């Protein structure tokens, strides 16, 4: 499995190095392991990312901006500093009513 885009034991600031692209969702792999994937996302205004039911737990942390997270049909509005855990086997989507950056840790049960 591929490793992340960042070196181990090296300090970095996600808010600074993760940039918005016009009309896009930018994804950077921070760490890719067998049982956990950590990714950073930058959503431009109006972009939506939907996930069907996943067998994995996801931890979401908003790095910058505001996001709408829809979990099992229920909207949650999040802002910088907020975090949420999305249970396994639960449909969800991330909607950019404003530009935002988030950290997502996907934890695999093996």
């Amino acid at each position: 499995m591929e490793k992340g885009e960042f070196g181990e034991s090296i300090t970095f600031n996600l808010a600074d190095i993760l940039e918005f692209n016009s009309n896009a969702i930018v994804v950077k792999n921070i760490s890719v392991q067998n049982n956990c994937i950590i990714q950073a996302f930058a959503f431009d205004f109006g972009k939506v990312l939907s996930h069907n039911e996943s067998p994995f737990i996801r931890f979401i942390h908003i790095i910058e901006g505001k996001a709408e997270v829809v979990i099992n049909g229920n909207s949650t509005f999040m802002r910088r500093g907020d975090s949420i855990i999305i249970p396994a086997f639960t449909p969800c989507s991330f909607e950019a009513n404003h530009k935002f950056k988030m950290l997502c840790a996907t934890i695999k049960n093996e």
Side-chain angles (χ1 to χ4, degrees), residues 23-71:
N23 199 30
I25 299 172
V26 176
V27 182
K28 291 196 177 274
N29 290 330
I30 297 170
S31 179
V32 179
Q33 306 295 323
N34 289 334
N35 61 346
C36 183
I37 300 171
I38 302 172
Q39 297 174 302
F41 292 78
F43 286 71
D44 194 19
F45 172 79
K47 300 310 289 179
V48 175
L49 178 62
S50 295
H51 290 283
N52 293 324
E53 293 181 15
S54 168
F56 310 123
I57 295 168
R58 281 171 282 189
F59 170 81
I60 305 299
H61 177 78
I62 304 302
I63 300 167
E64 178 182 313
K66 299 177 185 176
E68 180 178 3
V69 180
V70 181
I71 302 171

Side-chain angles (χ1 to χ4, degrees), residues 68-103:
E68 180 178 3
V69 180
V70 181
I71 302 171
N72 209 18
N74 298 311
S75 288
T76 300
F77 295 92
M78 300 177 66
R79 59 190 166 100
R80 182 177 58 88
D82 289 345
S83 300
I84 196 165
I85 296 172
I86 301 171
F89 302 102
T90 304
C92 68
S93 66
F94 305 96
E95 303 181 11
N97 300 324
H98 305 272
K99 288 182 174 184
F100 74 94
K101 296 176 184 178
M102 75 174 191
L103 183 69

